[in-house]
Amino acid sequence: MTAQYRLSFGRVVRSEWTKLWSLRSTWWVLGLAGLLTVALASIVGWASRQDGGDGSVRAAVENAFIGVDGLSLILGVFGVVLMTGEYGSGLIRATLTAVPRRRPVLPAKALVLVAATLPFCVVVCFASFLAHQAFAGPAGDVTLADPGVVRATFGAAAAPVGLALLGLGIGTMLRHTAGALAAYVGAVLVVPALLGPMLPDRVEDDVLPYVPTFSGQAMYAVGESQTFPWLLSPGSGALVLAGWILVFLAGGATVLQARDA
Amino acid sequence: MIEIAELTKRFGRTIAVDGLSFTVRPGQVTGFLGPNGAGKSTTMRMIVGLDRPTGGAALVGGVAYARHRAPLCEVGALLDAKAVHRGRSARRHLLALAQTHGLPARRVDEVLGAVGLESVAHRRAGGFSLGMSQRLGIAAALLGDPAVVILDEPVNGLDPDGVLWVRTLLKELAAEGRTVLVSSHLMSEMAVTAEHLVIIGRGRLLADTSVDELIARVVVDRTVVRSPRAAELSDLLVRRGARVTSEASGQLQVSGLAVETIGEVARRHDLTLHELTPARASLEQAYMELTGDSVEYRDERERSAA
């Protein structure tokens, strides 16, 4: 064929975009995850109206984004399956035959994952905050204009995207859906829960803030958390999470490049 | 043109492909034959870079596949008909592949038409029969209008209509000047499709030959003899160690004795012969003879390992 047809990174991204949106599961997962997160924020808002909250910005933000952990879990699984689904179905062989240098595939998937989930999470998180405040009524007399709220909302939107990228890295390293999901849940849920009891108290506060789950949570905290007073600042949390993402994606890229498909 | 040079692939302690060298030329269908597990699929996977060779090289048009700027326009490969996400429609699957190279959506519709899948283009590939999946895989292989087409067992699971369709397609692709490499473990299929044969066993090259040459190479060990005194002749031949069977009266199938000897025996005993024909081996026999050793050897090794 004529010379105009050739591989380019932009075209691989376009291809991945088509792949992402041509699966019904993408629409289902994002739709349900968004609804659940907003619904949870509304219920918690309603509950705090019954209980009479303390009206602080910290509490309003903590309550409004209580569903973000769940959103992170779902998007992480989504990131894992974005790659393992290709191995499970065998599609990876078609993908890597079309892109035999392989290197563009993972960055393209990561880019598409961010492009699809970040705007989605921003909408879900603003909706969660607004719904929470609406249901909280006078107990939640905090608005987007209060200091730190908009920043926290963007942080709450970015953290699940970060964990989705983490999942993509794990999925690319392990290739099998079940194994990768177990590893992801282990890294995000089990390790943070076990580290507390396992570590002596004097190092606990020096280690826990750097676990991906908690560095993600730091991104949408306002003021000092009562449950986790040792959380990093939002900026540091974002940097630490970015570091984890780089490590996991680099690991995935290495495996993708080296192993037979 | 595909050039395979000293290609080797080890998986742990097993050698799947062992110093394989051959060339696949354009303009003809080359059959890639060997018993199951001979290393055909692994060789094809190495050609398109899915498996990394332990040693040697596989070049397409003089260059490693991955180094081409538009790989899909160089090689179209069907390696696994099920290499499709079950939830994606046939058209979207092909579109995603086409987009990596900037191929237009129009090209996707063209190949869907070429393989006869237009009517199910929007159906999810998970519901496809094996035959439809094979057609989708072939559509993907043709997407970039490639100079080289590689198909791994393309007629597996196809009904007779489909088999005929693939056969015709392969010949058309070759007639257009493309390089066509088709694997199969069935000689009967290759006998009617391929002009050239590359036969491997246990990862090694057993034959790189035209179909006609292969037949000529086979040792003939069966002679058809007709004689009005067939019964007498049969006794004489058996005494000399031949195995003789008879399917029709007056006709003998003799093996274990050279044609010349049979003629001598008949002359010495003054028996008239109406026919003395060394039987032409079928391709199937030629193939069994070539690969028989490698299959048996593998069995022995497996037995001793067990």
Side-chain angles (χ1 to χ4, degrees):
Chain A
M1 274 199 180
T2 43
Q4 72 193 69
Y5 303 127
R6 61 185 194 85
L7 268 177
S8 73
F9 180 67
R11 286 168 170 173
V12 177
V13 172
R14 177 115 198 266
S15 163
E16 290 298 333
W17 186 256
T18 301
K19 278 192 206 167
L20 184 73
W21 295 111
S22 57
L23 289 181
R24 287 186 207 169
S25 52
T26 302
W27 299 89
W28 276 109
V29 167
L30 294 187
L32 282 176
L35 279 177
L36 284 174
T37 309
V38 177
L40 193 60
S42 310
I43 293 168
V44 173
W46 170 82
S48 63
R49 167 186 251 165
Q50 311 304 311
D51 301 343
D54 67 1
S56 73
V57 175
R58 179 195 57 74
V61 166
E62 242 172 42
N63 287 336
F65 297 139
I66 216 158
V68 170
D69 276 343
L71 186 62
S72 294
L73 190 68
I74 295 172
L75 288 194
V77 170
F78 188 67
V80 166
V81 175
L82 192 62
M83 188 57 95
T84 61
E86 291 220 4
Y87 282 96
S89 64
L91 175 63
I92 191 69
R93 291 190 282 281
T95 301
L96 295 183
T97 305
V99 191
R101 282 174 191 255
R102 301 190 184 183
R103 225 172 277 284
V105 173
L106 186 57
K109 277 196 187 291
L111 203 62
V112 162
L113 184 59
V114 172
T117 55
L118 190 57
F120 159 79
C121 285
V122 167
V123 170
V124 168
C125 288
F126 273 98
S128 291
F129 183 81
L130 295 175
H132 176 270
Q133 295 315 99
F135 278 92
D141 200 16
V142 176
T143 67
L144 286 172
D146 281 298
V149 173
V150 169
R151 194 225 71 229
T153 309
F154 278 110
V161 176
L163 286 162
L165 288 170
L166 219 60
L168 178 64
I170 292 176
T172 312
M173 278 192 276
L174 298 183
R175 318 211 296 187
H176 293 285
T177 302
L181 285 184
Y184 173 77
V185 170
V188 169
L189 287 183
V190 181
V191 168
L194 290 183
L195 270 182
M198 277 168 63
L199 293 172
D201 285 346
R202 72 192 140 78
V203 290
E204 205 177 299
D205 292 4
D206 297 329
V207 173
L208 284 181
Y210 298 96
V211 169
T213 315
F214 293 126
S215 53
Q217 283 183 4
M219 292 167 67
Y220 53 95
V222 175
E224 187 171 276
S225 161
Q226 282 176 341
T227 28
F228 307 124
W230 35 258
L231 276 187
L232 296 171
S233 73
S236 309
L239 277 179
V240 169
L241 186 58
W244 281 113
I245 292 168
L246 278 180
V247 168
F248 279 85
L249 286 181
T254 309
V255 170
L256 181 65
Q257 206 64 29
R259 285 190 60 180
D260 291 339
Chain B
M1 177 105 107
I2 306 171
E3 293 152 283
I4 309 282
E6 290 297 316
L7 198 63
T8 301
K9 180 68 183 179
R10 285 171 187 275
F11 294 106
R13 278 176 19 198
T14 20
I15 301 187
V17 177
D18 189 0
L20 198 57
S21 298
F22 64 90
T23 301
V24 187
R25 293 192 168 71
Q28 60 183 6
V29 176
T30 300
F32 193 24
L33 273 159
N36 287 324
K40 303 184 296 288
S41 297
T42 307
T43 302
M44 290 177 145
R45 289 163 51 80
M46 284 193 281
I47 295 173
V48 293
L50 288 176
D51 281 357
R52 193 184 300 272
T54 313
L59 302 183
V60 180
V63 184
Y65 175 69
R67 295 180 60 89
H68 285 287
R69 286 157 64 91
L72 287 185
C73 302
E74 299 294 330
V75 179
L78 164 69
L79 297 183
D80 174 6
K82 289 286 175 193
V84 179
H85 197 295
R86 298 176 57 79
R88 202 169 276 124
S89 76
R91 190 172 183 283
R92 289 300 188 97
H93 168 70
L94 294 175
L95 185 64
L97 292 178
Q99 282 173 337
T100 59
H101 282 56
L103 294 163
R106 158 173 47 85
R107 181 62 192 158
V108 170
D109 296 322
E110 275 171 26
V111 292
L112 278 168
V115 301
L117 287 180
E118 310 100 315
S119 58
V120 292
H122 295 279
R123 281 203 0 221
R124 290 196 285 169
F128 280 16
S129 67
L130 183 52
M132 286 156 85
S133 299
Q134 290 280 26
R135 283 171 189 264
L136 180 56
I138 291 172
L142 298 179
L143 208 50
D145 195 16
V148 175
V149 179
I150 297 175
L151 305 173
D152 195 4
E153 306 265 1
V155 299
N156 259 12
L158 292 186
D159 54 18
D161 273 358
V163 172
L164 193 62
W165 173 74
V166 169
R167 241 178 247 167
T168 314
L169 176 76
L170 293 175
K171 286 178 177 163
E172 280 171 8
L173 291 170
E176 288 163 8
R178 294 178 219 262
T179 304
V180 183
L181 181 66
V182 194
S183 79
S184 177
H185 61 278
L186 297 175
M187 177 50 110
S188 51
E189 179 52 37
M190 287 300 102
V192 289
T193 315
E195 292 152 70
H196 198 83
L197 296 172
V198 173
I199 304 177
I200 65 171
R202 292 191 301 114
R204 295 214 184 117
L205 189 68
L206 298 176
D208 181 354
T209 172
S210 74
V211 171
D212 296 339
E213 278 170 10
L214 179 64
I215 295 172
R217 263 175 57 171
V218 175
V219 183
V220 179
D221 185 36
R222 201 165 61 89
T223 310
V224 178
V225 184
R226 276 199 304 132
S227 167
R229 290 161 68 186
E232 268 172 76
L233 181 61
S234 173
D235 289 344
L236 289 165
L237 294 176
V238 168
R239 226 171 291 154
R240 277 180 170 72
R243 291 183 301 281
V244 181
T245 56
S246 179
E247 281 162 17
S249 85
Q251 191 182 21
L252 305 173
Q253 320 265 346
V254 184
S255 58
L257 220 54
V259 183
E260 294 79 2
T261 317
I262 300 170
E264 287 291 320
V265 170
R267 193 194 58 80
R268 214 174 298 144
H269 295 84
D270 207 15
L271 299 173
T272 310
L273 292 186
H274 290 166
E275 184 185 355
L276 183 62
T277 317
R280 197 176 133 89
S282 71
L283 266 180
E284 196 72 48
Q285 285 170 302
Y287 174 54
M288 297 304 270
E289 191 145 316
L290 265 171
T291 58
D293 286 347
S294 67
V295 174
E296 276 166 22
Y297 183 60
R298 176 174 285 262
D299 287 349
E300 270 162 33
R301 276 205 314 185
E302 279 167 0
R303 242 177 275 139
S304 64

